[in-house]
């Protein structure tokens, strides 16, 4: 579990969001998470640009 938390931190997830992400990930193994998550900045980038189109 600590490896996953560190991975999320490395990917830029805010500390307060990590518990929520862990709940969503459930029992997914580390290797699968590492292959499938995106950096937090990439996920939130579209939210910042939605009103500009």
């Amino acid at each position: 579990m600590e490896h996953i938390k560190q991975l999320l931190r490395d990917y830029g997830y805010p500390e307060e969001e990590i518990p929520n992400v862990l709940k969503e990930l459930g029992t997914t193994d580390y290797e699968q998470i590492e292959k499938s998550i995106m950096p937090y900045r990439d996920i939130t980038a579209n939210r910042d640009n939605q009103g500009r189109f």
Side-chain angles (χ1 to χ4, degrees), residues 8-38:
L8 293 170
R9 289 181 189 111
D10 293 346
Y11 272 67
Y13 284 76
E15 225 25 71
E16 63 273 7
E17 288 298 320
I18 291 176
N20 297 329
V21 175
L22 291 174
K23 282 182 189 177
E24 289 182 30
L25 294 172
T27 59
T28 307
D29 64 30
Y30 180 84
E31 290 78 19
Q32 186 63 33
I33 293 169
E34 189 175 34
K35 291 177 185 176
S36 63
I37 69 168
M38 293 175 57

Side-chain angles (χ1 to χ4, degrees), residues 1 7 10 14 19 23 31 38 42 46 48 50-52:
M1 181 70 80
L7 180 67
D10 293 346
K23 282 182 189 177
E31 290 78 19
M38 293 175 57
D42 291 352
N46 286 338
D48 294 339
Q50 283 181 356
R52 297 180 186 166

